[in-house]
Amino acid sequence: MAEEKQQRFWKAYEEAHEAFLRYCSALSYGKMDTEDLVQDVLLSAYKNFDKISPEKPFIHYLIRAAKNRKISIWRKLKFSTELIEQQALRLQSKDVAPDKILEIQHLYQTLDRLPKSQKEAIILFEISGFSMREIAEIQNSTEGAIKTKVSRGRTMLKRLLQQEDNHLSTSMNNLKTIML
Amino acid sequence: MNPELQNILAQARSVPTELSTEEVRAMFDTIVPQPEQAESNNHKLTPNQIKLIIMSLTTLSLSLVIYFFGFANNINSRTTSVIAPLQSSNQSEIKFQRELNDLDYFINQNYTKQERRARTAEIESLSLLTKGTNQSISIPERDIPSVDMKKPEFEDTQDQAQDNKMKYYSNYGILRYHEVTSDPLPELSSRTMRRMKRKLYKELVNDQLIRAKGIPVTIELHKDQITINNQVLNNELEIKYYQITHKAGTGPNRKIEMHSTYIKIGDFTSVGFKGSGLGTFEMEGPLELTAPNAPEDPWNILWKEERNALNQFCENLLDQMEHIPGKNPLFSVNIKDSEKLRSLSQSLRNALIEDEYITDPEDFILITHQKDKMTINGKTLDDNQRMSYVDLLATCKVKAAPNRMVRMSKHTISIGDFTPQEFTGTLANYED
């Protein structure tokens, strides 16, 4: 009985793995070890597996569980450089180039500055690769609202990234002046 | 979309996931217990259970030590109380603690500061006697007033001064007052009250606590409990409604009373309501601008008499005038800036003296301010004069309306909508 449940669970999970992991990586950036988050969510998902409605995709439950976990636990947590390093090491072990890792981490960091709802929508749409309709189902919202969130999120993200670039170039110029 | 941003996002999408499926599988196998393991795990004690066992064992051993090595150290001591039999070590400990607390309280009540200090030192050296199944406390002889061991009847007549205190009786029947403090009375703007009322009605209907908006609602905001129309809320709703009403504060008499036409937020005591209100509601008793229990201030008497005389003067004038009362407008006069109101009052009086509508600054004044008509003490103004007074009143955003009037005496001013039954607007009293 338990074995059968495990098999069913695993089959459902495998389909959701990639999107779920990308979501967790972006969500947990600097705040929690992704492994811990995945472990917590999997444990609760397995426990409630029989209660999860089979009509809705399993990934929806996983995404919601991860989000709820974030809300309940991380509110007071501060950024940890160790966790960021750990994430970089993991990606490095999967043959991802260091400059790419830096860019991705920069993106995650900038994403963290977006309003919550926009951040969620951007991660789910742009990084995890869900469709607008799926995101609307996960978030109990409408497609139109999600489109707005994604669009606003993109604009803000672009602005934040540009601001940081400008700030960086100004700092470099100042440094040059000091050096000269 | 910006190509650079698109590029970064594409990279984030294309890189391998932080954990591969195999890694997650391995993790899953370790965390999800096998059926046999799960069953054996059921027999393990949780950390809380272990803590409980350790605590019980410690308490039991302590009680045994006290039982075998307890002694009386003072011959002149007298036993003041006998507590319940030792049913379990935990219970006796609790009882002992209670007794100490009561004694502490009792001593604090009956002794001066120095005596209290000395007594506290003695209490610290209390010895415990245990005989058979009874446990007693012995206290060195001192003139302690005898304590009535009978539990007195609860008095129904509540002392006014102790309105905010909760009465209860300790083990010895000592009457104790536990003070339940109120938050300070809220000073809420009409915008805040209007928003709170709207939000409350919306949520109450959504939560099916009332049938429809506009139904009379009474929300009692106690420190530890919130009730809506005498219905105690569950935890989830309680948190929700505390959040909505947090600006109102809490207290034993703190309430929000709502109706379709008004909202009242404040303390509802046996002597009346004290707090903020918005809308049209009946005042309970005569209008008092000071605390209800305060001794009658001579100024209060003067203002009351002056206002009564002014109202009489106005009613007489209105009877003689051709005044057609209409429906009150949606927005009533609400002048929050008292300085502005004061300066309006002075400017009006000066203008009226200049235009010879009054000769004495102490004269009563009645100004009716309708759409195309303005009268001062029964005299209708021509357009030029009317416009100057309209501009003056507009400084405090007083606009024309069917029942809008300004009533002034030497020390009082009322601006708003007057009907025979009610007044909605702003009033102020001055001492000079």
Side-chain angles (χ1 to χ4, degrees):
Chain A
M1 187 74 177
E3 260 180 45
E4 192 212 320
K5 185 185 170 184
Q6 279 190 17
Q7 275 175 359
R8 275 192 298 125
F9 179 81
W10 194 246
K11 201 181 161 193
Y13 175 76
E14 268 180 334
E15 286 170 20
H17 172 76
E18 203 169 315
F20 173 60
L21 247 291
R22 284 190 202 291
Y23 179 75
C24 286
S25 291
L27 204 68
S28 64
Y29 177 73
K31 288 275 182 89
M32 190 185 185
D33 188 358
T34 315
E35 200 177 313
D36 289 345
L37 175 65
V38 173
Q39 187 173 316
D40 284 354
V41 175
L42 281 188
L43 199 62
S44 85
Y46 182 72
K47 222 164 103 183
N48 300 319
F49 190 58
D50 294 327
K51 293 177 205 163
I52 297 169
S53 160
E55 288 162 14
K56 286 184 180 171
F58 184 50
I59 181 73
H60 290 195
Y61 176 86
L62 294 176
I63 297 283
R64 271 198 221 112
K67 189 183 157 193
N68 291 343
R69 173 102 185 126
K70 178 202 140 197
I71 290 167
S72 60
I73 305 289
W74 307 351
R75 206 171 286 159
K76 288 173 190 169
L77 288 185
K78 285 181 182 170
F79 248 73
S80 153
T81 40
E82 273 176 34
L83 290 171
I84 296 168
E85 277 170 24
Q86 198 180 32
Q87 196 179 45
L89 283 173
R90 276 208 197 111
L91 288 174
Q92 221 170 353
S93 70
K94 302 224 163 24
D95 296 329
V96 182
D99 57 328
K100 267 191 182 179
I101 297 174
L102 270 180
E103 275 190 0
I104 291 164
Q105 292 201 327
H106 185 213
L107 172 74
Y108 287 167
Q109 208 170 351
T110 319
L111 273 172
D112 213 45
R113 289 168 63 192
L114 291 184
K116 263 187 230 163
S117 59
Q118 290 176 15
K119 181 188 165 185
E120 283 274 327
I122 288 275
I123 293 175
L124 289 171
F125 183 73
E126 300 285 6
I127 299 174
S128 293
F130 286 102
S131 69
M132 294 283 185
R133 196 170 51 78
E134 277 177 313
I135 302 171
E137 270 175 38
I138 292 171
Q139 295 193 342
N140 276 336
S141 183
T142 59
E143 235 178 292
I146 301 297
K147 272 182 193 167
T148 316
K149 278 179 198 168
V150 170
S151 162
R152 284 180 187 162
R154 268 185 199 150
T155 318
M156 198 159 171
L157 191 64
K158 191 177 132 190
R159 209 181 63 221
L160 287 172
L161 286 169
Q162 270 172 358
Q163 265 177 13
E164 274 178 27
D165 283 350
N166 291 342
H167 184 69
L168 196 69
S169 60
T170 322
S171 308
M172 288 301 282
N173 284 338
N174 289 343
L175 199 67
K176 265 186 202 168
T177 321
I178 293 164
M179 294 282 277
L180 286 170
Chain B
M1 195 170 39
N2 185 15
E4 202 181 327
L5 176 64
Q6 208 168 12
N7 191 24
I8 298 173
L9 288 169
Q11 274 182 8
R13 255 198 314 265
S14 62
V15 288
T17 52
E18 220 179 308
L19 298 167
S20 64
T21 328
E22 292 75 33
E23 281 170 319
V24 177
R25 179 78 211 220
M27 189 171 70
F28 177 74
D29 287 340
T30 25
I31 56 166
V32 174
Q34 298 302 315
E36 316 84 70
Q37 280 177 337
E39 267 176 34
S40 64
N41 279 349
N42 286 342
H43 300 293
K44 279 184 186 172
L45 291 170
T46 63
N48 276 344
Q49 284 171 325
I50 293 167
K51 272 183 204 167
L52 199 71
I53 291 169
I54 293 169
M55 278 167 72
S56 309
L57 281 173
T58 319
T59 324
L60 192 69
S61 52
L62 267 172
S63 317
L64 281 171
V65 168
I66 291 166
Y67 181 81
F68 287 113
F69 300 103
F71 59 93
N73 65 348
N74 199 337
I75 297 163
N76 288 331
S77 66
R78 73 183 177 103
T79 303
T80 53
S81 61
V82 178
I83 316 178
L86 279 168
Q87 286 164 353
S88 75
S89 55
N90 262 342
Q91 276 184 350
S92 66
E93 286 263 283
I94 293 162
K95 287 259 178 188
F96 175 60
Q97 199 55 47
R98 264 193 211 155
E99 200 161 352
L100 273 181
N101 289 343
D102 280 348
L103 273 167
D104 195 19
Y105 172 80
F106 182 75
I107 284 159
N108 282 339
Q109 290 289 307
N110 290 285
Y111 288 89
T112 60
K113 238 179 190 177
Q114 284 104 359
E115 279 178 315
R116 213 178 292 158
R117 264 186 223 132
R119 296 293 292 165
T120 315
E122 283 168 5
I123 285 205
E124 278 165 9
S125 63
L126 273 181
S127 66
L128 230 151
L129 278 178
T130 48
K131 285 176 186 172
T133 53
N134 285 342
Q135 185 187 13
S136 331
I137 293 171
S138 90
I139 301 172
E141 192 67 68
R142 184 70 71 92
D143 293 332
I144 301 172
S146 61
V147 182
D148 184 12
M149 302 288 283
K150 266 186 172 176
K151 190 175 269 192
E153 298 268 312
F154 196 92
E155 292 162 19
D156 278 332
T157 49
Q158 290 220 338
D159 190 353
Q160 202 59 56
Q162 285 150 359
D163 241 10
N164 291 343
K165 292 177 178 184
M166 213 158 72
K167 280 179 183 178
Y168 70 96
Y169 292 94
S170 68
N171 285 352
Y172 295 113
I174 298 169
L175 181 64
R176 281 182 170 188
Y177 287 103
H178 170 66
E179 191 147 358
V180 184
T181 50
S182 282
D183 288 338
L185 274 175
E187 282 177 18
L188 304 173
S189 66
S190 47
R191 187 162 174 253
T192 314
M193 283 191 280
R194 200 174 296 124
R195 286 174 74 177
M196 196 188 283
K197 186 183 162 196
R198 200 184 308 137
K199 177 93 181 160
L200 274 172
Y201 265 130
K202 189 182 164 195
E203 294 301 329
L204 287 167
V205 173
N206 282 349
D207 295 333
Q208 296 180 343
L209 292 166
I210 55 169
R211 273 185 296 106
K213 289 178 184 175
I215 283 175
V217 176
T218 308
I219 304 172
E220 289 175 36
L221 300 163
H222 298 294
K223 272 221 154 46
D224 53 345
Q225 184 180 285
I226 188 163
T227 60
I228 293 175
N229 285 347
N230 295 325
Q231 192 181 337
V232 181
L233 301 184
N234 63 28
N235 274 349
E236 203 180 313
L237 286 176
E238 202 172 88
I239 292 165
K240 181 180 170 183
Y241 285 97
Y242 269 132
Q243 276 171 352
I244 297 172
T245 60
H246 74 280
K247 282 183 182 166
T250 56
N253 302 316
R254 189 62 47 88
K255 280 182 198 173
I256 297 177
E257 221 181 74
M258 288 198 308
H259 192 266
S260 57
T261 53
Y262 69 83
I263 177 167
K264 287 202 267 185
I265 303 166
D267 286 341
F268 291 73
T269 54
S270 49
V271 285
F273 163 68
K274 199 176 170 195
S276 311
L278 176 79
T280 309
F281 50 85
E282 270 179 38
M283 292 294 295
E284 294 131 351
L287 182 65
E288 299 275 354
L289 295 176
T290 51
N293 271 349
E296 196 81 68
D297 184 7
W299 274 108
N300 260 354
I301 300 166
L302 177 88
W303 288 328
K304 214 185 282 179
E305 284 173 359
E306 209 172 287
R307 204 175 281 281
N308 285 341
L310 172 67
N311 284 342
Q312 193 58 51
F313 165 81
C314 294
E315 293 308 322
N316 289 342
L317 257 180
L318 286 169
D319 284 344
Q320 293 162 21
M321 278 165 55
E322 199 186 27
H323 179 77
I324 307 151
K327 208 177 164 188
N328 278 350
L330 192 62
F331 298 104
S332 57
V333 176
N334 185 10
I335 306 166
K336 286 178 211 158
D337 192 342
S338 58
E339 279 309 307
K340 247 186 183 176
L341 186 62
R342 195 188 187 91
S343 78
L344 173 70
S345 154
Q346 274 166 1
S347 317
L348 269 175
R349 196 172 291 280
N350 292 340
L352 289 166
I353 292 173
E354 208 173 291
D355 294 341
E356 295 174 353
Y357 284 106
I358 53 170
T359 48
D360 192 343
E362 290 186 17
D363 281 351
F364 289 148
I365 299 156
L366 166 70
I367 304 174
T368 60
H369 184 18
Q370 287 169 311
K371 199 180 174 190
D372 295 316
K373 189 184 172 190
M374 183 180 272
T375 64
I376 295 175
N377 286 355
K379 291 173 193 164
T380 310
L381 273 65
D382 61 48
D383 278 358
N384 285 341
Q385 266 187 337
R386 186 170 64 86
M387 285 320 290
S388 69
Y389 284 97
V390 167
D391 288 345
L392 205 56
L393 289 170
T395 56
C396 283
K397 293 183 182 170
V398 181
K399 292 177 186 168
N403 303 318
R404 193 138 298 171
M405 290 176 209
V406 180
R407 294 181 179 188
M408 283 168 69
S409 64
K410 192 188 174 188
H411 299 106
T412 69
I413 179 167
S414 322
I415 307 179
D417 301 309
F418 289 82
T419 59
Q421 298 83 24
E422 62 186 28
F423 161 68
T424 314
T426 304
L427 55 85
N429 298 331
Y430 303 113
E431 291 187 2
D432 46 22

